[in-house]
């Protein structure tokens, strides 16, 4: 049963989507993306967001475990009446939550990677941002802890048994 | 470490003073104490080193990577060091990481201590069982562990006995903590700045926290006291021998019923025996039970150290719930550390007005990653998440934070780890089956907790809240399956962690917990490991053999 393991056995191998989506799949995915993340004041829909399709490739690699399920779902949605797409997606969420989670998280994840979306919502990713040494001291010296300390003599016996 | 390295050859051929199995926090601390005292320690770790540059949190798409490739639950990952866990009868999927550093690679580094009542639940509340030791017996070991690890916090928490302090200053409360604090003050509830094993200033090998925020998926800045950097870099300098890619098949015993070491399989599938004068198990509440149950012999047909029949039983997992709150002001929610900015113990103890015994701890946390925040909304109706609604959700990211809490789930023998009759790991070693059902008492605790978290948000000014009544993939607190006690019929190990049935076999991980309390357990696990290490050093001075 034993299998010889190469490389670092505690680090997952880098995933890669097995292939790119073809034109038909991409057109269905655009309709789905635009339904889930439509245009709004100041923002185009997800499928029209600059950088979305490059980000989608990154997202599909990251969730390549779900590639087949997503491709399958796109195939089933291919002939869906545009007016019924929303209902079909809602039904997928209800009856095939794993598939819908993968499809929607890849779309939303790609959209959230685009520079324009990040700029609009004010999120630049996780950042290095060390605290100044006096930051905690300044907060605590504001007296914010006083109510807790004031109640301690009375409530201490309830807190410590 | 590659199989052909000199270290590997040396390790397999020599008799160690002490064999430690598992290189997580407990194995790290036991080895620290023993190697500093001059003992020859060999540690077998089934995983590898993971460097901070390996973590997915270095990459923009990290939130997608942690859904599957780097998931908390080993069954979701495709990582060779992991073993499968059968969880079809479990309400919570127990999570862990198998590597040097163990699950602390993915822990939030919250570092609270148990409270005095946690150690005497039977005496104060008439349920479960008392520990065979008290709070005062643990304090010196908590203090020593804090000094080794580098814990940041504010001393003087009035919910603890006098004298509690930490070596490093606390992290700032930030906008989240200050907002949460004002709300809790309005409610008249206890709170205190959070305590974390994340350095607020540079400490030993650890960088000062850069507030990257992704603590539970690996710190890419080398600023979290996971056991690899908190212990193992120092342990190797002290002469400890760490063998990676070493999966232990069974603990071996001699005809007198003493352990003589362990049989293990290297990453190439080659079998080895590591001989030792004493063995310390540090494999977590699932791995240790699995290994003991897999170690059968004529003397121990039901598994090693299992005369009581309690190996694997009384599993506790600390069920979690969470509530997200959205505010009008900016909370800088991307900013770490993820471990709680503040903690409340207001509802920690049993109260006559509650419909449950024991209680809960909760704290306020930032929300690193907008996709994570969006995923938190999945329980809402479809059109409240997708379509036009999604713009409002993502726009509120920086104005939100979440409260999460965990409950004191009491031990029950029916919640247990057994061996699955079919499932094995890649070396053919039987895999664990975990059966964990949330009790009625726990369900009442969780329901109460969610209501209070909602109250806390609204008192702090939240304009909207979203509830997660049970986090099924949290928190990786694996406790109770080789409980400690003075009575060999009612416990697996004695108050020092020594197996009642096997005089030179010890357990030093969360398995030995008698009850779990409601605080994050790593500080206690490491304190107990420190205590056990000191016990081994002391007893070895007076005896021919360790134990």
């Amino acid at each position: 049963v034993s299998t010889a393991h190469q490389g670092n056995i505690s680090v997952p191998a880098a995933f890669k989507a097995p292939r790119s989506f073809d034109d038909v799949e991409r057109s269905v995915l655009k309709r789905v993306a635009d339904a889930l993340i439509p245009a709004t004041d100041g923002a185009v829909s997800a499928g029209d967001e600059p950088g979305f399709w490059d980000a989608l490739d990154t997202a599909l690699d990251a969730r390549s475990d779900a590639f087949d399920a997503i491709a399958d779902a796109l195939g089933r949605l291919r002939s869906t009446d545009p007016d019924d797409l929303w209902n079909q997606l809602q039904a997928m969420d209800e009856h095939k939550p794993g598939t819908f989670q993968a499809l929607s998280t890849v779309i939303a994840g790609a959209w959230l990677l685009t520079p324009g979306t990040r700029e609009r919502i004010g999120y630049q990713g996780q950042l290095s941002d060390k605290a100044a040494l006096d930051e905690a001291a300044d907060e605590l010296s504001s007296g914010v802890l006083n109510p807790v300390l004031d109640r301690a003599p009375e409530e201490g016996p309830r807190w410590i048994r | 470490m590659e199989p052909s390295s000199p270290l590997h050859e040396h390790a397999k051929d020599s008799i160690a003073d002490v064999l430690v199995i598992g290189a997580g926090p407990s194995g790290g601390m036991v080895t620290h104490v023993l190697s500093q005292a001059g003992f020859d320690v060999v540690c077998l770790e089934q995983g590898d080193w993971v460097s901070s540059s390996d973590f997915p949190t270095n990459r923009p798409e990290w939130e997608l990577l942690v859904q599957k490739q780097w998931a908390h639950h080993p069954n979701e990952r495709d990582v060779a060091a992991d073993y499968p866990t059968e969880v079809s009868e479990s309400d919570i999927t127990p999570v862990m990481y198998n590597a040097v550093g163990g699950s602390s690679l993915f822990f939030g580094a919250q570092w609270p201590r148990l409270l005095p009542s946690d150690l005497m639940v039977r005496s104060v509340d008439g349920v479960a069982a008392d520990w065979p030791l008290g709070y005062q017996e643990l304090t010196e070991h908590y203090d020593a562990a804090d000094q080794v690890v580098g814990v940041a916090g504010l001393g003087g928490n009035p919910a603890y006995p006098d004298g509690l302090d930490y070596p490093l200053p606390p992290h700032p409360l930030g906008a989240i903590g200050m907002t949460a604090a004002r709300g809790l003050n309005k409610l008249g509830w206890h709170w205190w700045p959070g305590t974390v094993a994340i350095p607020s200033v540079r400490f030993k090998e650890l960088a000062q926290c850069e507030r990257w925020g992704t603590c539970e998926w690996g710190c890419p800045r080398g600023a979290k006291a996971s056991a690899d950097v908190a212990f193992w870099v120092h342990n190797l300098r002290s002469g400890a021998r760490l063998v990676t890619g070493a999966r232990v098949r069974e603990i071996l015993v001699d005809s007198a019923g003493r352990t003589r070491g362990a049989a293990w399989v290297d990453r190439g599938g080659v079998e080895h025996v590591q001989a030792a004068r004493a063995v310390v198990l540090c494999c977590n509440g699932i791995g240790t039970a699995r290994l003991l149950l897999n170690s059968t012999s004529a003397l121990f047909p039901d598994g090693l150290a299992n005369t009581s029949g309690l190996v694997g039983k009384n599993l506790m997992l600390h069920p979690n719930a969470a509530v997200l709150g959205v505010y009008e002001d900016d909370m800088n929610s991307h900013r770490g550390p993820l471990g709680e900015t503040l903690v409340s113990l207001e509802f920690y103890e049993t109260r006559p007005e509650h419909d449950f015994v024991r209680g809960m701890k909760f704290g306020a946390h930032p929300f690193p990653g907008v996709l994570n925040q969006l995923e938190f909304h999945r329980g809402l109706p479809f059109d409240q998440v997708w379509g036009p609604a999604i713009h409002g959700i993502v726009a509120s990211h920086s104005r939100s934070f979440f409260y999460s809490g965990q409950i004191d789930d009491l031990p029950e023998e029916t919640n247990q780890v057994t061996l699955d009759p079919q499932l094995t790991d890649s070396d053919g070693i039987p895999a664990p089956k975990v059966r964990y059902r949330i009790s009625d008492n726990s369900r009442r605790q969780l329901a109460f907790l969610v209501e209070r978290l909602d109250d806390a948000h609204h008192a702090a000014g939240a304009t909207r809240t979203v509830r997660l009544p049970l986090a099924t993939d949290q928190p990786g607190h694996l406790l109770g399956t080789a409980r400690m006690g003075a009575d060999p019929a009612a416990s697996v190990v004695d108050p020092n962690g020594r197996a009642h049935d096997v005089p030179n076999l010890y357990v030093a991980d969360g398995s030995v917990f008698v009850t779990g309390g409601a605080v994050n357990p790593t500080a206690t696990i490491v304190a107990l490991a420190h205590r056990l290490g000191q016990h081994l050093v002391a007893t070895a001075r007076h005896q021919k053999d360790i134990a």
Side-chain angles (χ1 to χ4, degrees):
Chain A
V1 217
S2 290
T3 311
H5 300 295
Q6 303 296 319
N8 191 313
I9 56 174
S10 288
V11 173
F15 282 19
K16 185 84 183 154
R19 61 178 174 82
S20 298
F21 283 145
D22 62 29
D23 289 347
V24 174
E25 289 168 325
R26 286 166 75 91
S27 86
V28 179
L29 191 136
K30 182 175 186 312
R31 284 197 286 129
V32 172
D34 291 350
L36 294 177
I37 308 173
T40 186
D41 289 347
V44 295
S45 65
D48 289 330
E49 182 67 41
F52 175 77
W53 294 97
D54 286 342
L56 184 73
D57 288 340
T58 300
L60 284 169
D61 284 346
R63 285 301 313 268
S64 58
D65 64 288
F67 184 91
D68 290 345
I70 293 170
D72 227 39
L74 295 175
R76 277 183 274 111
L77 292 169
R78 181 179 170 183
S79 53
T80 299
D81 184 326
D83 292 339
D84 195 37
L85 181 59
W86 182 260
N87 292 335
Q88 289 297 315
L89 291 170
Q90 192 165 1
M92 189 192 299
D93 184 27
E94 190 176 340
H95 300 299
K96 292 197 162 188
T99 300
F100 181 74
Q101 191 278 338
L103 175 65
S104 56
T105 202
V106 161
I107 289 170
W111 177 63
L112 288 167
L113 286 171
T114 60
T117 303
R118 290 189 164 204
E119 179 70 28
R120 277 193 301 278
I121 64 177
Y123 178 68
Q124 298 308 317
Q126 300 308 118
L127 302 170
S128 178
D129 179 19
K130 286 182 185 175
L133 275 181
D134 53 0
E135 201 172 322
D138 286 349
E139 290 169 346
L140 295 173
S141 63
S142 72
V144 68
L145 256 175
N146 290 351
V148 181
L149 296 170
D150 291 346
R151 288 190 297 113
E154 185 185 337
E155 304 217 19
R158 186 155 61 86
W159 290 336
I160 308 172
R161 295 171 72 205
Chain B
M1 197 61 61
E2 293 305 314
S4 59
S5 72
L7 184 59
H8 167 86
E9 295 300 323
H10 183 50
K12 76 175 183 184
D13 290 333
S14 66
I15 300 176
D17 290 332
V18 179
L19 171 60
V20 172
I21 301 175
S26 57
M29 178 54 103
V30 168
T31 304
H32 169 79
V33 176
L34 294 173
S35 59
Q36 294 263 315
F39 283 63
D40 177 31
V41 183
V42 170
C43 177
L44 300 178
E45 164 54 51
Q46 64 190 321
D48 252 323
W49 289 90
V50 179
S51 81
S52 54
S53 60
D54 290 323
F55 289 128
T57 46
N58 288 289
R59 301 171 64 169
E61 73 275 24
W62 66 275
E63 294 168 273
L64 290 158
L65 292 167
V66 302
Q67 291 182 4
K68 179 67 181 176
Q69 297 180 39
W70 288 86
H72 283 169
H73 186 28
N75 287 6
E76 292 289 328
R77 298 187 296 258
D78 182 19
V79 172
D82 287 330
Y83 54 86
T85 307
E86 212 294 317
V87 292
S88 62
E89 294 180 37
S90 192
D91 293 334
I92 301 174
T93 50
V95 298
M96 67 181 79
Y97 210 92
N98 294 300
V100 178
S103 301
S104 68
L105 296 184
F106 272 17
F107 81 156
Q110 287 141 274
W111 205 260
R113 301 179 180 191
L114 287 173
L115 281 90
S117 72
D118 288 324
L119 301 162
M120 46 184 186
V121 171
R122 166 63 70 178
S123 296
V124 298
D125 286 323
V127 294
D130 289 348
W131 288 53
L133 46 83
Y135 182 83
Q136 291 304 326
E137 291 169 85
L138 275 179
T139 50
E140 68 175 284
H141 303 288
Y142 276 128
D143 289 343
D146 289 356
Q147 293 291 339
V148 173
V149 168
V151 177
L154 181 68
N157 186 341
Y160 281 89
D162 290 343
L164 177 56
D165 205 353
Y166 302 100
L168 304 183
H171 290 268
L173 292 164
I176 291 171
M178 291 295 280
T179 302
R182 290 188 197 105
L184 297 175
N185 284 344
K186 197 182 294 181
L187 291 165
W189 292 357
H190 168 270
W191 68 271
W192 200 254
T195 304
V196 290
I198 295 174
S200 50
V201 294
R202 183 167 177 77
F203 182 82
K204 297 182 183 175
E205 302 293 326
L206 294 162
Q208 179 189 349
C209 177
E210 297 184 19
R211 302 196 283 191
W212 198 262
T214 59
C215 319
E216 289 192 4
W217 302 278
C219 176
R221 318 305 285 183
K224 185 180 78 170
S226 49
D228 50 342
V229 280
F231 295 113
W232 282 103
V233 284
H234 306 287
N235 291 345
L236 296 180
R237 289 177 192 147
S238 301
R241 295 180 283 152
L242 172 63
V243 186
T244 59
R247 178 175 275 157
V248 175
R249 181 183 293 285
E250 65 176 308
I251 307 301
L252 304 171
V253 291
D254 62 20
S255 57
R258 293 173 61 87
T259 178
R260 58 184 179 86
W264 61 278
V265 190
D266 70 23
R267 67 186 75 204
V270 179
E271 302 271 347
H272 303 269
V273 170
Q274 175 61 57
R277 295 179 177 84
V279 174
V280 184
L281 303 185
C282 302
C283 312
N284 79 42
I286 291 176
T288 286
R290 176 200 185 201
L291 184 51
L292 290 171
L293 293 171
N294 269 324
S295 300
T296 55
S297 61
L299 281 174
F300 301 102
D302 299 321
L304 195 58
N306 197 22
T307 300
S308 66
L310 291 174
V311 169
K313 293 182 177 174
N314 296 305
L315 175 67
M316 294 168 282
L317 295 177
H318 277 168
N320 263 232
V323 176
L324 171 138
V326 177
Y327 292 78
E328 290 182 352
D329 296 330
D330 192 352
M331 296 290 146
N332 286 317
S333 203
H334 66 279
R335 187 184 274 169
L338 178 56
E340 53 224 357
T341 59
L342 60 75
V343 60
S344 175
L345 301 176
E346 179 67 23
F347 301 106
Y348 200 85
E349 301 288 350
T350 300
R351 291 190 190 181
E353 66 267 30
H354 292 168
D355 62 353
F356 52 82
V357 291
R358 301 305 293 159
M360 58 211 61
K361 182 213 82 168
F362 63 88
H365 310 255
F367 224 122
V370 187
L371 184 62
N372 282 337
Q373 191 213 20
L374 177 64
E375 290 289 337
F376 194 96
H377 289 71
R378 283 218 181 250
L380 295 183
F382 188 82
D383 58 4
Q384 290 182 29
V385 184
W386 304 105
I390 193 173
H391 294 287
I393 291 173
V394 300
S396 70
H397 170 257
S398 193
R399 291 183 284 109
S400 63
F401 70 87
F402 73 98
Y403 272 112
S404 80
Q406 61 200 16
I407 60 162
D408 183 354
D409 56 333
L410 295 166
E412 296 177 64
E413 290 194 14
T414 52
N415 285 337
Q416 64 176 325
V417 178
T418 56
L419 297 178
D420 189 83
Q422 275 93 40
L423 195 63
T424 66
D425 63 24
S426 58
D427 291 303
I429 303 170
K433 175 183 172 70
V434 176
R435 184 195 182 280
Y436 180 89
R437 294 301 189 204
I438 297 173
S439 71
D440 289 343
N441 190 68
S442 292
R443 288 196 183 281
R444 288 192 288 270
Q445 288 172 300
L446 285 166
F448 179 89
L449 170 63
V450 170
E451 294 297 331
R452 299 296 78 75
L453 299 185
D454 210 75
D455 290 345
H457 270 307
H458 283 108
T463 56
R464 178 169 71 85
T465 57
V466 182
R467 299 176 173 203
L468 182 65
L470 175 67
T472 56
D473 64 345
Q474 288 281 351
H477 302 169
L478 314 173
L479 309 171
T481 53
R483 64 156 50 169
M484 163 189 289
D487 179 1
S491 55
V492 177
V493 299
D494 75 9
N496 288 313
R498 172 174 157 173
H500 291 299
D501 299 348
V502 184
N504 58 342
L505 175 67
Y506 296 83
V507 180
D509 55 48
S511 308
V512 304
F513 278 41
V514 179
T515 52
V519 296
N520 310 60
T522 311
T524 303
I525 290 170
V526 170
L528 288 168
H530 183 269
R531 183 170 178 270
L532 170 56
Q534 288 200 331
H535 170 78
L536 289 170
V537 171
T539 55
R541 288 201 184 101
H542 304 293
Q543 298 175 202
K544 189 178 85 175
D545 289 328
I546 292 169

